[in-house]
Amino acid sequence: MISNSFLGKKEILQAMSEHTAAQKALSSRMIHIGKRWGGIYFKFFGYPPEISSRILARKINHYLNKREKGKLLDVGCSHGTYGFELAKLGYQVMGIDINRESIQLAKKIKNYSGIKNISFYEMDILSNRFAENLFDVIITFETLEHIQEDSKAIQEFHRILKEKGLLIISVPYAEKMEEYHEPRGACRARDGNYICIGKGGSHYRNGYNLETMNSLLEKNGFQILDYEYICVPKCLNASILSFPFKYPLSLLFTNLSKNRTKLKVIAQKTFH
């Protein structure tokens, strides 16, 4: 989660480059460079090359590493970026996602990584068949804004978490929360148009703020234990090439910045 340097293996790079999201988001030249030099890049600079995600990962890793290890569910796991690192810490990790292609990629990465205490399943959290009180921790990062019935998802988290289990959420920060609909299976690109990335891509809201998140959690049986805004100065927004230089600077200046990019919440299951 902090580095994921093992993703630099040749076979893994090839599999990642074939994913629809990579094919849509990257040019053929960048894909070629990634397959040729990605192993060296990931070894030295880690993955993903996105500043706010890496800052979030460091904080979650530090927090969970201090706790007793147990069963952890990663909802909206994509290809397992967070789950693999948490499995290396000792958690028994299960990752679920409704995008079949992402789950297939996660399984390929598992086979090449040699990490045993992690599994992946194509599954919708809203129609899961997990037993009650099953997991010690649930994490869901940049996923809730993709779920139209977000309140129902929180209810499911409450049902399948153990007594006093932890729910850790990261969502895009939105000062003013807006509900909207994108074409099914699409995500909005930087230019305002849409790119199709398959099932699970659509956004239903632009993000959350503390007030809306607290209301959502409280009415569904959770108490917020801690929250934090992930802030990155706008001048440190990085491309893949500039990430190695800007990321160390972001660690120094994130606490001074007021440019909120994500809201991180740690909540505990309570009784209704």
Side-chain angles (χ1 to χ4, degrees):
M1 194 157 62
I2 291 177
S3 64
N4 281 299
S5 58
F6 72 93
L7 293 178
K9 291 184 178 180
K10 182 178 180 181
E11 299 87 350
I12 295 177
L13 287 170
Q14 178 65 38
M16 290 174 66
S17 70
E18 294 171 354
H19 193 285
T20 298
Q23 293 289 325
K24 294 285 186 180
L26 301 175
S27 66
S28 57
R29 184 168 181 267
M30 284 302 299
I31 291 175
H32 174 74
I33 292 173
K35 288 192 288 188
R36 183 167 184 179
W37 302 106
I40 296 174
Y41 185 97
F42 290 163
K43 180 178 180 180
F44 286 100
F45 307 120
Y47 178 93
E50 202 278 313
I51 287 177
S52 59
S53 294
R54 290 284 283 276
I55 292 175
L56 171 71
R58 287 173 61 94
K59 292 176 181 292
I60 300 301
N61 186 299
H62 178 72
Y63 178 79
L64 289 178
N65 194 32
K66 296 186 296 182
R67 300 184 59 85
E68 182 178 351
K69 311 304 184 288
K71 291 183 178 180
L72 184 146
L73 178 66
D74 183 359
V75 178
C77 65
S78 186
H79 56 285
T81 302
Y82 292 101
F84 284 115
E85 291 297 315
L86 293 172
K88 289 193 289 185
L89 289 182
Y91 285 90
Q92 188 65 42
V93 178
M94 180 184 294
I96 64 171
D97 201 293
I98 64 173
N99 187 289
R100 177 174 299 177
E101 187 180 9
S102 293
I103 291 297
Q104 290 173 340
L105 174 57
K107 289 179 177 179
K108 287 181 182 179
I109 295 174
K110 177 187 175 180
N111 291 336
Y112 292 127
S113 72
I115 299 173
K116 303 297 183 182
N117 54 320
I118 190 168
S119 56
F120 297 98
Y121 299 92
E122 180 188 353
M123 187 185 303
D124 187 340
I125 188 61
L126 299 183
S127 57
N128 75 87
R129 296 183 179 180
F130 291 129
E132 295 182 4
N133 308 311
L134 180 61
F135 295 101
D136 299 281
V137 181
I138 294 176
I139 64 171
T140 182
F141 299 152
E142 276 64 59
T143 299
L144 209 57
E145 67 274 14
H146 296 272
I147 301 177
Q148 189 169 18
E149 297 177 276
D150 56 349
S151 186
K152 185 178 178 181
I154 301 297
Q155 292 170 19
E156 282 302 296
F157 297 156
H158 188 278
R159 184 183 69 82
I160 62 180
L161 269 174
K162 294 180 181 179
E163 181 181 346
K164 296 185 179 180
L166 291 182
L167 173 61
I168 305 178
I169 299 175
S170 169
V171 288
Y173 168 72
E175 182 178 358
K176 182 179 180 181
M177 183 175 166
E178 298 176 1
E179 301 278 347
Y180 52 81
H181 298 275
E182 292 180 344
R184 188 173 181 180
C187 275
R188 189 173 295 176
R190 291 183 179 181
D191 61 4
N193 294 315
Y194 294 99
I195 56 173
C196 181
I197 62 170
K199 192 174 182 181
S202 306
H203 288 78
Y204 292 102
R205 58 199 61 86
N206 59 334
Y208 298 79
N209 54 48
L210 183 60
E211 181 181 359
T212 55
M213 179 58 67
N214 185 58
S215 175
L216 179 65
L217 292 172
E218 198 172 65
K219 73 179 182 181
N220 289 300
F222 284 94
Q223 177 186 6
I224 292 181
L225 301 179
D226 189 28
Y227 75 92
E228 182 180 4
Y229 293 109
I230 306 299
C231 300
V232 178
K234 291 182 179 180
C235 62
L236 293 181
N237 288 335
S239 64
I240 293 176
L241 294 179
S242 64
F243 175 84
F245 310 102
K246 291 186 175 181
Y247 177 57
L249 292 174
S250 71
L251 296 178
L252 294 174
F253 294 107
T254 182
N255 292 329
L256 301 177
S257 174
K258 295 183 179 180
N259 182 41
R260 297 170 175 176
T261 60
K262 299 180 189 293
L263 170 64
K264 180 201 74 173
V265 170
I266 300 175
Q268 187 173 58
K269 174 179 175 177
T270 60
F271 293 100
H272 288 295

